[in-house]
C-alpha cells in the first residue's frame, strides 16, 4: 500500500507506516499531515490489523514542521493547517489498536509530538529530541503542552518546553517519555518483538484495554473505574473470550478472530 508521502506494509497483522520524505528528514508538510490522517483512518477499517508501527524513512523519524513550506503560506493557509494538524497528531490516539513509534535520528518539535500521540515509543540510542517552539516565539501546539506533562510531570515538562532544550533518548527513557532505548541496529528487532506480543493476544481485549486506559485518563478515578466496568462487560461476552475459555479447556493456543 502507498499513500504517496507515506509507505504502508502489512505483515502478520502488523501495519508499518513509514513517513517517506527522507530528503527533508520527514518534515511535516500539509500533504504529509493529510496522508497521516487518511492512512490511519483507512487502516482502522481493516479487521486483520492487530497493531501499527509509525517510523520515518532515512536518517530521522521527523524533524517537525516543514519550515520552507510554512514560509510560503498565507494567513488563511496557516489557519487551515491549524485545523488539520490536530487531526494528524490525534490520528494514532483515535486508532483503535496500539501504535508503536519507532524513533531514530531526530524527533524534534511536532515530530516529537507525533511520537507522543502513539501508545509506545521505542527509540534508538542517541536519538535527539526536543520541543523548540518557545525559541521561535511559539508553543508546542500538537499536543505537547498537554501530553508531555501527563507523561513526565508538570515541572519537567515546563523546564523542557520553556527552555526549548534538546535532550537525548536515554534521558527521555529515564523520565518516562520513552518506553525503551536500544542500539540503532537493534531497534527494528526490538519493535518487532513488541508487535509480535501485541499480535498474539486477543484483538478485542487489546482494543478495549486501550479504550479503557485512554478514557480513564480523561476523568477522575471513580468515573474511570465505571468506564472500566462497562467495557469489561463487552469483553466478557465476546467471541474472543469464548475462544480463550475453549482453548484453555482443550489445552491449545487460542485462535482469536477479533470479535
Amino acid at each position: 500500500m502507498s499513500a504517496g508521502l507515506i509507505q504502508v506494509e502489512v505483515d502478520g497483522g502488523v501495519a508499518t507506516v513509514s513517513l517517506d520524505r527522507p530528503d527533508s528528514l520527514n518534515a511535516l508538510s500539509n500533504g504529509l499531515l493529510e496522508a497521516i490522517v487518511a492512512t490511519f483512518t483507512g487502516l482502522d477499517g481493516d479487521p486483520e490489523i492487530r497493531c501499527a508501527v509509525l517510523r520515518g524513512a532515512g536518517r530521522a523519524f521527523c524533524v517537525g514542521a516543514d519550515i520552507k513550506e510554512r514560509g510560503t503560506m498565507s494567513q488563511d493557509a496557516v489557519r487551515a493547517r491549524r485545523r488539520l494538524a490536530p487531526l494528524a497528531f490525534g490520528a494514532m490516539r483515535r486508532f483503535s489498536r496500539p501504535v508503536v513509534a519507532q524513533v531514530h535520528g531526530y524527533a524534534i518539535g511536532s515530530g516529537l509530538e507525533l511520537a507522543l500521540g502513539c501508545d509506545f515509543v521505542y527509540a534508538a540510542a542517541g536519538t535527539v529530541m526536543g520541543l523548540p517552539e518557545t525559541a521561535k516565539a511559539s508553543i508546542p501546539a500538537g499536543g505537547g503542552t498537554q501530553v508531555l506533562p501527563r507523561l513526565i510531570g508538570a515541572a519537567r515538562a515546563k523546564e523542557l518546553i520553556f527552555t526549548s532544550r534538546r535532550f537525548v533518548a536515554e534521558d527521555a527513557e529515564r523520565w518516562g517519555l520513552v518506553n525503551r532505548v536500544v542500539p540503532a541496529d537493534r531497534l527494528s528487532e526490538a519493535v518487532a518483538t513488541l508487535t509480535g506480543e501485541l499480535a498474539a493476544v486477543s484483538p478485542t481485549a487489546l482494543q478495549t484495554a486501550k479504550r479503557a486506559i485512554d478514557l480513564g485518563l480523561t476523568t477522575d478515578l471513580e468515573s474511570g473505574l465505571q468506564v472500566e466496568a462497562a467495557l469489561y462487560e463487552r469483553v466478557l461476552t465476546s467471541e474472543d473470550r469464548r475462544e480463550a475459555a475453549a482453548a484453555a479447556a482443550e489445552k491449545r493456543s487460542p485462535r482469536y478472530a477479533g470479535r
Side-chain angles (χ1 to χ4, degrees):
M1 294 172 57
S2 173
L5 300 172
I6 282 181
Q7 299 298 323
V8 181
E9 297 179 3
V10 179
D11 182 26
V14 180
T16 300
V17 179
S18 299
L19 309 179
D20 197 24
R21 299 189 72 208
D23 292 344
S24 66
L25 300 182
N26 300 310
L28 293 170
S29 63
N30 278 8
L32 184 51
L33 291 172
E34 291 170 351
I36 290 169
V37 175
T39 297
F40 279 97
T41 299
L43 290 173
D44 217 13
D46 186 342
E48 299 301 316
I49 292 174
R50 304 295 180 88
C51 59
V53 176
L54 179 64
R55 63 181 298 277
R59 296 187 294 113
F61 174 70
C62 177
V63 294
D66 188 329
I67 302 302
K68 290 183 179 179
E69 180 186 74
R70 182 78 65 87
T72 67
M73 294 169 64
S74 66
Q75 278 298 111
D76 286 343
V78 171
R79 292 190 185 97
R81 180 187 173 90
R82 283 302 311 144
R83 292 191 292 272
L84 170 63
L87 297 176
F89 294 119
M92 290 71 65
R93 281 189 288 272
R94 291 190 304 275
F95 188 64
S96 61
R97 281 141 276 189
V99 184
V100 184
Q102 180 176 318
V103 179
H104 74 290
Y106 295 91
I108 302 294
S110 50
L112 178 57
E113 291 176 298
L114 205 60
L116 293 178
C118 299
D119 300 287
F120 305 90
V121 181
Y122 273 41
T127 298
V128 178
M129 301 176 169
L131 295 171
E133 284 81 359
T134 59
K136 302 173 183 178
S138 185
I139 65 170
T145 66
Q146 302 304 305
V147 178
L148 192 62
R150 286 169 166 80
L151 287 175
I152 66 175
R156 179 81 66 185
K158 286 179 178 179
E159 181 180 11
L160 296 176
I161 292 171
F162 292 177
T163 64
S164 289
R165 185 179 302 158
R166 291 191 176 194
F167 51 92
V168 292
E170 289 82 351
D171 292 326
E173 182 184 34
R174 181 161 45 87
W175 299 332
L177 190 160
V178 166
N179 293 82
R180 188 175 176 194
V181 176
V182 298
D185 61 356
R186 290 177 47 208
L187 181 58
S188 294
E189 177 187 352
V191 170
T193 297
L194 174 61
T195 56
E197 293 174 324
L198 296 174
V201 303
S202 159
T204 301
L206 197 60
Q207 293 177 44
T208 306
K210 174 172 176 170
R211 183 164 176 77
I213 292 170
D214 289 350
L215 285 175
L217 287 173
T218 67
T219 187
D220 60 273
L221 177 59
E222 190 57 40
S223 298
L225 290 171
Q226 293 175 17
V227 167
E228 179 186 75
L231 290 171
Y232 174 71
E233 288 297 324
R234 296 185 191 179
V235 175
L236 200 60
T237 58
S238 68
E239 289 186 25
D240 277 3
R241 178 72 172 185
R242 289 192 290 273
E243 167 60 15
E250 298 165 14
K251 296 182 171 54
R252 60 172 174 81
S253 298
R255 296 182 289 271
Y256 294 124
R259 296 188 293 272

